[in-house]
Amino acid sequence: MNTVIFAVVVLAVLGAIFGLVLAIAAKVFAVEVDPREEAILGCLPGANCGGCGYPGCSGYAAAVVKGLAPVNACAAGGEAVAAQIGEIMGVSAGASVKQLAQVHCTGCGQNYKQYHYVGLHDCVAASKLPGGGDLGCSFGCLGLGSCEKACPFDAIHVIDGVAKVDEEKCKACGKCVDVCPRHIIALEPYKTKRHVTIPCSSHDKGVDARKVCDNGCIGCSLCAKNCPKEAITMVNNLAVIDYEKCIGCGICAQKCPRRLITVDGKVPEVKPAAPKAAPKAAPAAAKPAAPAAEAPKAEAAAQPKE
Amino acid sequence: MDWTNLFTIALGAVLINNFIVSQFLGICPFMGVSKKIETASGMGLAVIFVMGLASAICWPINALILVPLKLTFMQTVTYILVIASLVQFIEMFLKKAMPALYEALGVYLPLITTNCAVLGVVLQNTQNSYSFIESVVYGVTGGVGFLLVIVIFASIRERMEFSECPKAFEGFPIALMSAGLVALAFMGFSGLKVFG
């Protein structure tokens, strides 16, 4: 019995002594941290996402105080945090363009499965299988939610078999971009006005793309031809937007025969031929209006050709 | 003081019974931080430091508290307690007193808390019934052995970056194989004897 009591007492006493020593040491050896560092840490989101390239939020705060990191490097905090940090450091934040993760798939290929997948509920695991998963389309979203698990902000969710980004919550940290085995998520500059996206990653030829998806890009290049700013290029049977050039006019969305291109997250209604008054009223609108008149014709021509 | 005895202990800890390659202790930091020579040597230095201090502190605790009270069965749990708080203490002390060294050791210092080689060295001190001086020598030279092997291995891995190996062996598999070869090479020291 004595042994048990001794054992407990000795360990408790030793633990208490070490605890006390550590507590005293914490006071005695306390290092004055630059108060700015703690202030910066206070206004950072604290998600430790690593999007800035430093190990966690504290690492970034230390780097900012040392002058190694720009004040607007925190993608998660956005402009608001950049402004706060700028105030603490006494420099102006400068405008950082808000970015947003964008899933380049509509999920309309979910009805075209190659086989029934019953394995691990994880895209990376599924993508190792023959055919790269059960999806007929070899480019689309597998919908098993690897991005959902990776997201530190609960901003991406698989809805109806395809990953959808919550624009409010997304901080553009890029975690989902890295984890997606299909590489269909990308960070895009998010314009507050009109944000045009081509939510498809298929490099298949038109015929093959039609077989596995209801509205995937068939590479008809109508959008590229009609873009007034030449912001859309065809890369290997897929239309890609150059956001440096895109003005958000949405003509491409009007032209798309597959009704794929979205403006501000929605597929716009195809407008009927523009009324004649429009060109007079606004000369700037003349350009978009003219091709819009050809819309039904072009669409009709495109359909049988493919 | 018997210098030959100390030399034997030191030689044994560094080469013959090296902690990594013949006792297979401390493999996690060995594989984890051996990608670059720079980080590997930082880790090695931190291990020397902590192993020496842990030996020095655990010896009196064992000799003055555990043995008189017949509590030697509590060695493992007590040593873990000592090592964990010691590492914490050292971290705080270095941060204040030697910021340069603290920066150099960086993240490796707290990592050592979970390094089984440190627990191994203090347990072996007791098992071999070393004296205080012998314990400290064994601890420090055990750390030196760790440093030696991890730096050798890091330089091998740095070269391996540029060599082609079969796809299936890329990354950790080839690293583990080379670790095995390093261990085999160190087996050559097993016949070494010091005559005094």
Side-chain angles (χ1 to χ4, degrees):
Chain A
M1 191 60 202
N2 265 351
T3 326
V4 177
I5 296 171
F6 274 146
V8 172
V9 169
V10 164
L11 211 58
V13 169
L14 274 180
I17 292 171
F18 287 133
L20 211 66
V21 169
L22 283 184
I24 294 168
K27 286 266 183 263
V28 173
F29 299 126
V31 179
E32 298 96 60
V33 185
D34 195 324
R36 290 181 300 176
E37 196 174 320
E38 288 191 357
I40 292 173
L41 195 59
C43 55
L44 286 171
N48 292 321
C49 67
C52 53
Y54 291 91
C57 292
S58 57
Y60 172 62
V64 170
V65 171
K66 278 183 199 152
L68 296 172
V71 292
N72 59 0
C74 180
E79 282 177 41
V81 167
Q84 280 178 325
I85 299 176
E87 212 168 283
I88 296 165
M89 294 298 294
V91 288
S92 71
S96 68
V97 181
K98 190 193 174 193
Q99 287 199 314
L100 195 73
Q102 194 78 48
V103 180
H104 287 204
C105 181
T106 55
C108 290
Q110 288 291 331
N111 303 328
Y112 305 89
K113 297 267 168 120
Q114 303 182 66
Y115 46 81
H116 183 55
Y117 176 73
V118 288
L120 267 178
H121 204 73
D122 183 85
C123 304
V124 182
S127 68
K128 304 283 186 219
L129 290 173
D134 57 350
L135 201 67
C137 172
S138 49
F139 300 94
C141 175
L142 292 167
L144 295 170
S146 285
C147 46
E148 199 175 314
K149 279 172 232 155
C151 181
F153 301 102
D154 192 35
I156 190 164
H157 293 284
V158 175
I159 300 165
D160 297 333
V162 64
K164 291 255 194 297
V165 177
D166 186 332
E167 296 181 5
E168 297 287 312
K169 288 183 185 166
C170 178
K171 308 286 185 199
C173 68
K175 285 263 156 100
C176 52
V177 178
D178 295 336
V179 80
C180 179
R182 291 262 166 133
H183 309 297
I184 60 170
I185 311 178
L187 294 183
E188 287 178 0
Y190 186 69
K191 290 181 186 159
T192 37
K193 271 191 171 174
R194 277 155 76 85
H195 179 63
V196 183
T197 310
I198 302 176
C200 182
S201 310
S202 171
H203 291 295
D204 275 336
K205 284 187 179 146
V207 190
D208 301 322
R210 276 169 193 280
K211 280 181 196 154
V212 291
C213 190
D214 288 334
N215 66 357
C217 179
I218 51 174
C220 68
S221 78
L222 273 178
C223 48
K225 281 176 198 151
N226 283 295
C227 181
K229 292 286 175 188
E230 294 179 346
I232 303 181
T233 44
M234 299 305 295
V235 180
N236 204 356
N237 288 315
L238 176 68
V240 178
I241 297 179
D242 179 353
Y243 286 96
E244 294 282 307
K245 295 178 185 165
C246 178
I247 52 168
C249 66
I251 295 174
C252 47
Q254 298 283 336
K255 291 290 168 188
C256 182
R258 300 285 274 170
R259 314 262 292 117
L260 166 72
I261 304 177
T262 60
V263 177
D264 283 342
K266 288 193 238 29
V267 179
E269 291 294 313
V270 176
K271 286 181 205 148
K276 280 182 182 171
K280 274 183 206 163
K287 257 191 184 173
E294 296 165 12
K297 216 200 300 172
E299 193 178 334
Q303 295 276 5
K305 204 164 60 185
E306 293 296 332
Chain B
M1 192 172 301
D2 190 354
W3 288 102
T4 324
N5 185 30
L6 290 187
F7 182 69
T8 315
I9 290 174
L11 198 67
V14 177
L15 296 176
I16 304 163
N17 282 322
N18 186 288
F19 273 89
I20 300 176
V21 291
S22 42
Q23 303 189 40
F24 300 104
L25 291 168
I27 296 293
C28 4
F30 176 60
M31 298 308 292
V33 291
S34 57
K35 284 217 175 91
K36 278 190 199 153
I37 295 182
E38 203 178 308
T39 54
S41 44
M43 185 73 190
L45 289 174
V47 167
I48 295 180
F49 197 59
V50 173
M51 272 188 168
L53 266 176
S55 304
I57 292 181
C58 287
W59 190 87
I61 286 181
N62 182 51
L64 301 179
I65 301 173
L66 297 185
V67 173
L69 292 173
K70 297 194 179 66
L71 289 175
T72 42
F73 61 90
M74 296 253 296
Q75 275 159 358
T76 309
V77 66
T78 320
Y79 292 166
I80 289 174
L81 185 72
V82 173
I83 291 167
S85 31
L86 179 68
V87 171
Q88 268 297 311
F89 182 81
I90 292 172
E91 197 188 348
M92 284 190 270
F93 175 74
L94 284 186
K95 203 172 181 181
K96 177 80 177 179
M98 286 175 257
L101 185 60
Y102 177 76
E103 288 281 318
L105 296 181
V107 62
Y108 306 114
L109 203 51
L111 267 182
I112 296 173
T113 322
T114 51
N115 187 346
C116 47
V118 181
L119 183 63
V121 80
V122 286
L123 281 176
Q124 284 180 14
N125 283 338
T126 325
Q127 278 163 13
N128 299 342
S129 30
Y130 282 155
S131 71
F132 181 73
I133 302 286
E134 284 170 337
S135 294
V136 175
V137 168
Y138 189 57
V140 171
T141 49
V144 172
F146 186 95
L147 174 72
L148 177 73
V149 172
I150 201 168
V151 168
I152 290 178
F153 190 57
S155 32
I156 294 176
R157 276 182 92 171
E158 275 191 2
R159 287 198 173 200
M160 224 146 55
E161 289 281 305
F162 303 106
S163 57
E164 282 179 32
C165 72
K167 183 90 186 152
F169 293 148
E170 268 176 23
F172 262 101
I174 194 76
L176 283 166
M177 282 183 213
S178 359
L181 290 176
V182 173
L184 270 180
F186 267 73
M187 285 291 142
F189 290 117
S190 61
L192 214 59
K193 276 205 182 89
V194 181
F195 297 101

